[in-house]
């Protein structure tokens, strides 16, 4: 029952969900991730809270690994690449700016609420985007459009499993079939999450290499 | 002072007493003499015997000699805000007699900003404050100056502070004040406790001369009346509200007498208030609600209402617990177990605030098993033994908070401060390595410097007097603001204000509850039905609603277990009940009313004798439950439960959920688990061999440490309470304590705060020593193992308990498989 990836069909497109918290659209060869929150550690440090920044390095490394594995044409980040405009150190900035050339791939960022005011080179900042029968945004759009799937981030969805004697929670992909919205799990390690509606269809990320439809 | 001046001082105090038609009691005389002799110590007398004047008169007569118009000379620390106003009145009465110009001020969470500023500029001669506010005062830039005249500190109700981290906070503040003025005299007042010497040490420090202990043999007589069920079949076995029996209570309560009804939780007080108002519509205007989460104006209305007699009954929590003088209170009701004797006696004491008076308390059990407790308490009171209250040791979270406070205010020198802190009783075992870690944590963020490039909380600054020395300060103004905002969070969770849309503030709720509400939801709070309008900037806006809802907020409070002393007596009580053949003639009133339940227990299973250990197995459709009645107080029972779960899981990989109460514990496993294994493994389960390792195992396979860490992260300033004035940016500073835990565990193995969480689990939950003793006791017992068709009366409360812990050594995959079985159904 555990898989190394799960599949969702939308129209004539074939979407693959990875336990590495990324979504791949085969038709357009676009790879989607969201909510990385780079610089979060340093933002906390500036405010007198000792949270390590080791996770930035880890998050960037994980991006590189996925890109190498999936070989997309384009990497699209659905918002909140950074945690705050106040906490982008020079070294972080240059690492992010080099990302596109290191991976030899175009990178686009749908600007999320945390990205406001952030400026980096070699990444295209856009408001939202249509591609084939998809709409990419950071927060879900107010109105759903027929036959269009709105893929977004922002919510950090998690699934909570419990019975009378045990409980566990996992990051998940969540599909709202009524509104045609697919929420991606937060990519960053230093992010928490929120429970999502019961009616949503969910794919739980059990570990780095296991995903499970629930 | 010389002997002669001491004598004149005492004569003068006596004169004040005589003029008020009081007679000084021997312990009061002793206290005055000891104070004037320059001694420090503890006054240990029951509530309502006049200990305030015992502690106060010495300092007052000294104050007369040296007082200037402005300047703080005497500090009065009380555990509760509610006490301050009454305290001020009684201090004033005495102060005016000595010197009409003496000024008395109050400083706590309810004091206005304007008033606080004024107090710093022109300090009152006597200041009444709480441990949290004192800690805040130390973080003031002017603190050295403010306390330079201070010669005396009185700590009120010290036994209430001692049992928690607030006691640590208080100790640390005292250590700094002692360092600031070497000749400071410190006295504490305490109820009767078993370890009074230790209580005294904690107040005056480890190195000082032994504390003077002043006690009296005044014995207050206490009469406990239990509300017994009229109809045995309606008596609830489980639950914690006790509402089902309200009619029995109403029959014995007098509507015209002033009455305090104490509940254990704020949620319970809201429910009882709602129930009483509903049942007694004619009393509507005369019943009020009082708990710590209500707005201070709301509380004041109630306090005043009781004083002028308009309000007759108050449903309250411990917010009204201590010496606040509502004169006269005629009836005291305790709803649910008071958990320890000291608290019950304290509350009973409110019914006669006069030396020598007899105090009465009506006990309203919330479940039948509590009647055992009250029966046990009665027997203990008769025997005259008292309980111990232990201070938590080496709480690094409180220490870190204290150090940052100092760095925000007067600054500190590492070498000097270390010595001061090691003078505190609960930090006497602090070693250099841990101290260095604390400083490093505050200065650099942690061991791995590269990981914290932007971090600086405390910074060095060369000392003005000595160029070779340096002091630590917090320089960033926003850090200072944030820190000050976080002090006072020793006990509480994150709070949201509740306000009417038009502006009146009602009180506060835990964020956890508020976050689950949607616009339009109705809930009951502050004695009103309210409708959620919107939530903005950490404020929940509401309007009145005529609709009804059963939704009532819960506040996470400290869990309590009955004391050791009480659990021992509890076992005796149950032993008495094993002989049921005599129609209960030999049983007292409480036990007698339990007869139907005891008979049922005997029919379904057994009642254990003192030399027996009762174990029951009960199967439901998809779960198997094991109930073990260790009768050892909630935390010890829980400890043994974790130990057994860990040992059983070693034999066969499994997931258990664990519940404990004061009677015993239950382990729950899936339906195919065969608990009969404990028959063969009994000696393995109770042996003391490998205890340490097995407990360690239990900690690792459960979430215990993570849960402990939550509170630690808050106190040490990792997780911030929301600052209402700065909502936008602070929302970007939110991260859950469990994420912190994971990050620390991953990148910094030796993190002291994680170690503390671990230590706290061992200290309070899986306490090695007490478990060892308990296992020793169990090994002498004969096991009775019953499989029951229905849950027995003893087992029922454990079965319905909702808060559960999980221990598992199965793989995540296996656990998910079991979890989704139900999910998909």
């Amino acid at each position: 029952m555990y898989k190394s990836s799960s599949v969702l069909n939308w129209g004539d497109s074939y979407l693959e969900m990875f336990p590495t918290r990324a979504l791949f659209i085969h038709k357009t060869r676009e790879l989607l991730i969201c909510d990385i929150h780079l610089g979060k550690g340093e933002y906390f440090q500036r405010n007198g809270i000792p949270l390590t920044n080791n996770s930035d390095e880890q998050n960037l490394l994980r991006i590189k690994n996925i890109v190498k594995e999936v070989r997309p044409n384009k990497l699209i980040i659905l918002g909140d690449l950074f945690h705050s405009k106040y906490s982008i150190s020079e070294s972080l900035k240059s690492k992010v700016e080099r990302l596109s050339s290191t991976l030899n791939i175009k990178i686009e960022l749908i600007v999320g609420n945390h990205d406001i005011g952030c400026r980096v080179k070699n990444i295209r900042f856009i408001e939202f985007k249509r591609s084939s029968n998809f709409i990419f945004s950071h927060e879900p759009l107010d109105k759903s459009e027929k036959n269009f799937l709105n893929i977004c981030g922002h919510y950090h969805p998690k699934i909570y499993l419990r019975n009378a004697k045990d409980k566990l929670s996992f990051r998940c992909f969540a599909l709202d079939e009524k509104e045609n919205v697919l929420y991606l799990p937060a990519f960053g390690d230093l992010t928490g999450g929120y429970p999502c509606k019961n009616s949503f269809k969910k794919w739980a990320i059990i570990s780095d290499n296991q995903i499970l439809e629930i | 002072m010389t002997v002669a001046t001491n004598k004149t001082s005492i004569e003068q105090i006596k004169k004040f007493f005589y003029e008020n038609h009081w007679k000084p009691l021997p312990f009061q005389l002793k206290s005055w003499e000891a104070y004037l002799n320059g001694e420090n110590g503890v006054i240990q007398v029951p509530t309502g015997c006049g200990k305030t004047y015992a502690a106060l008169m010495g300092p007052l007569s000294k104050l007369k000699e040296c007082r200037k118009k402005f300047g703080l000379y005497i500090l009065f620390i009380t555990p509760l805000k509610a006490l301050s106003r009454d305290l001020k009145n009684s201090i004033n009465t005495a102060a005016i007699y000595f010197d009409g110009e003496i000024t008395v001020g109050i400083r706590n969470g309810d004091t206005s900003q304007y008033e606080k500023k004024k107090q710093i500029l022109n300090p009152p001669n006597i200041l009444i404050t709480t441990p949290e506010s004192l800690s805040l005062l130390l973080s003031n830039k002017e603190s050295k100056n403010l306390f330079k005249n201070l010669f005396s500190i009185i700590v009120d109700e010290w036994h209430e502070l001692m049992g928690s981290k607030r006691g640590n906070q208080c100790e640390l503040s005292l250590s700094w004040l002692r360092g600031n003025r070497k000749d400071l005299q410190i006295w504490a007042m305490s109820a009767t406790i078993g370890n009074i010497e230790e209580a005294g040490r904690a107040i005056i420090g480890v190195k000082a001369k032994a504390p003077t202990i002043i006690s009296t043999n005044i014995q207050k007589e206490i009469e406990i009346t239990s509300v017994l069920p009229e109809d045995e079949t309606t008596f609830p076995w489980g639950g914690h509200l006790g509402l089902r029996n309200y009619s029995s209570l109403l029959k014995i309560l007098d509507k015209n007498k002033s009455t305090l009804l104490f509940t254990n939780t704020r949620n319970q007080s809201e429910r009882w208030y709602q129930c009483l108002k509903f049942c007694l519509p004619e009393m509507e205007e005369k019943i009020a609600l009082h708990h710590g989460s209500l707005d201070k104006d709301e509380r004041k209305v109630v306090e005043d209402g009781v004083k002028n007699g308009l309000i007759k009954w108050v449903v309250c929590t411990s917010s009204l617990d201590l010496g606040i003088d509502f004169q006269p209170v005629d009836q005291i009701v305790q709803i649910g177990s008071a958990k320890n004797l000291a608290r019950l006696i304290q509350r009973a004491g409110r019914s006669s605030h006069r030396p020598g008076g007899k105090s009465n308390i009506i006990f309203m059990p919330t479940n039948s098993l509590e009647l055992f407790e009250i029966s046990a308490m009665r027997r203990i009171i008769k025997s005259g033994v008292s309980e111990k209250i232990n201070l938590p040791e080496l709480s690094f979270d409180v220490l870190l908070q204290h150090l940052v406070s100092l760095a925000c205010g007067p600054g500190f020198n590492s070498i000097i401060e270390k010595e001061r802190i090691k003078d505190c009783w609960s930090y006497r075992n602090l070693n250099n390595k841990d101290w260095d870690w604390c400083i490093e944590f505050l200065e650099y963020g942690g061991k791995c410097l590269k990981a914290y490039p932007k971090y600086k909380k405390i910074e060095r600054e060369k000392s003005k007097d000595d160029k070779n020395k340096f002091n630590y300060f917090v320089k960033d103004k926003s850090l200072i603001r944030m820190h000050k905002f976080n002090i006072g969070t020793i006990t509480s969770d994150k709070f949201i204000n509740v306000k009417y849309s038009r502006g009146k503030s009602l009180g506060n709720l835990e964020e956890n509850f508020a976050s689950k509400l949607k616009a339009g939801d109705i809930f009951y709070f502050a004695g009103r039905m309210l409708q959620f309008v919107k939530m903005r900037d950490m404020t929940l806006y509401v309007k009145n609603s005529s609709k009804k809802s059963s939704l009532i907020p819960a506040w996470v409070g400290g869990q309590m277990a009955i004391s050791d002393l009480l659990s021992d007596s509890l076992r005796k009580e149950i032993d008495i009940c094993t002989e049921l053949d005599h129609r209960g003639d030999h049983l007292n009133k409480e036990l007698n009313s339990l007869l139907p339940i005891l008979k049922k227990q005997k029919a379904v299973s057994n009642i254990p004798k003192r030399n027996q250990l009762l174990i029951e197995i009960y199967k439901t459709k998809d779960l198997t439950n094991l109930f073990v009645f260790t009768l050892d107080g909630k935390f010890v029972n829980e400890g043994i439960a974790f130990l057994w779960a860990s040992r059983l899981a070693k034999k066969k990989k499994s997931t258990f959920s664990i519940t404990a109460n004061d009677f015993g514990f239950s382990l729950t496993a899936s339906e195919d688990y065969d608990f009969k294994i404990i028959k063969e493994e009994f000696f393995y389960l109770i042996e003391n061999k490998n205890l340490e390792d097995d407990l360690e195992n239990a900690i690792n396979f459960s979430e215990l440490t993570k849960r402990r860490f939550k509170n630690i992260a808050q106190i040490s300033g990792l997780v911030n309470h929301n600052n209402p004035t700065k909502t936008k940016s602070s929302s970007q500073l939110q991260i859950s304590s469990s994420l912190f835990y994971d990050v620390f565990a991953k990148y910094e193995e030796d993190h002291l705060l994680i170690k503390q969480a671990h230590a706290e689990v061992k200290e309070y939950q899986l306490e090695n020593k007490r478990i060892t003793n308990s296992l020793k006791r169990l090994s002498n017992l004969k096991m009775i193992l019953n499989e029951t068709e229905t849950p027995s009366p003893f087992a029922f409360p454990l079965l319905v308990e909702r808060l559960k812990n999980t221990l598992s050594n199965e793989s995540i995959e296996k656990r998910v498989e079991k979890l989704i079985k139900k999910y998909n159904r």
Side-chain angles (χ1 to χ4, degrees), chain A residues 1-2 44-45 47-54 58 83 114 163-166 168 190-192 202 210 214, chain B residues 445 451-454 457 479 482 623 655 657 670 720 732 735 739-740 743 747 806 813 815-817 819 823:
Chain A
M1 67 192 221
Y2 299 102
F44 274 65
Q45 290 167 24
N47 286 283
I49 300 167
L51 186 64
T52 77
N53 68 359
N54 294 349
Q58 297 283 331
H83 187 65
H114 283 265
N163 64 16
K165 69 182 182 74
D166 199 6
L168 289 170
L190 283 187
T191 53
K202 299 173 198 90
Q210 286 177 315
I214 288 171
Chain B
Y452 305 96
K454 287 277 162 8
K457 193 160 213 156
L479 289 190
M482 202 151 72
L623 296 170
T655 301
S657 90
S670 44
N720 277 286
Q732 260 170 313
I735 182 168
L739 257 169
F740 259 113
V743 171
Y747 297 113
T806 305
E813 288 83 357
R815 288 167 74 185
V816 171
E817 253 167 60
L819 282 167
Y823 196 91

Side-chain angles (χ1 to χ4, degrees), chain B residues 199-370:
Chain B
R201 269 285 162 223
I203 282 292
I204 65 169
V206 182
K207 290 185 207 103
K209 220 178 84 195
T212 306
I213 312 278
I214 293 175
S215 357
T216 81
N217 49 9
I218 301 177
Q219 283 282 350
K220 271 197 133 179
E221 236 184 289
I222 296 181
E223 196 175 296
I224 307 171
T225 317
S226 312
V227 180
L228 303 174
E230 292 156 30
D231 178 358
E232 58 195 49
T233 54
T234 63
F235 209 104
W237 291 345
H240 59 283
L241 294 171
L243 279 169
R244 283 176 67 178
N245 274 306
Y246 71 89
S247 57
S248 318
L249 177 64
L250 292 187
K251 272 187 196 142
I252 58 171
L253 284 187
D254 188 329
K255 284 180 197 162
N256 296 315
K257 279 187 177 172
S258 61
T259 306
L260 293 180
L261 296 105
F262 285 105
T263 60
N264 283 334
T265 66
R266 284 164 275 192
N267 177 289
Q268 199 182 9
S269 68
E270 293 264 0
R271 283 177 199 266
W272 268 90
Y273 176 66
Q274 190 181 20
C275 166
L276 293 177
K277 266 203 344 188
F278 179 78
C279 303
L280 302 169
E282 73 279 12
M283 288 282 286
E284 170 135 22
E285 300 292 309
K286 293 180 188 164
I287 307 179
L289 175 69
H290 192 289
H291 62 67
S293 286
L294 295 178
D295 193 77
K296 66 170 182 198
D297 293 334
E298 293 269 308
R299 279 182 273 135
K300 193 167 175 296
V301 169
V302 178
E303 286 161 25
D304 293 342
V306 176
K307 272 183 200 158
N308 58 31
L310 291 176
I311 292 174
K312 285 292 177 199
W313 292 9
V314 185
V315 184
C316 57
T317 60
S318 52
S319 61
L320 272 186
D321 217 347
L322 306 161
I324 178 169
D325 272 325
F326 287 166
Q327 291 283 19
V329 179
D330 303 319
Q331 299 179 113
I332 307 280
V333 181
Q334 165 70 35
I335 298 170
S337 163
K339 297 290 181 188
N340 69 50
L341 203 55
R343 187 169 296 113
L344 187 85
I345 292 174
Q346 178 90 42
R347 289 178 176 175
R350 304 295 314 279
S351 64
S352 68
H353 224 133
R354 185 163 52 76
K358 187 173 174 183
S359 44
N360 295 290
I361 192 161
I362 297 167
F363 177 70
M364 173 77 212
T366 55
N367 75 51
S368 53
L369 301 182
E370 282 174 353

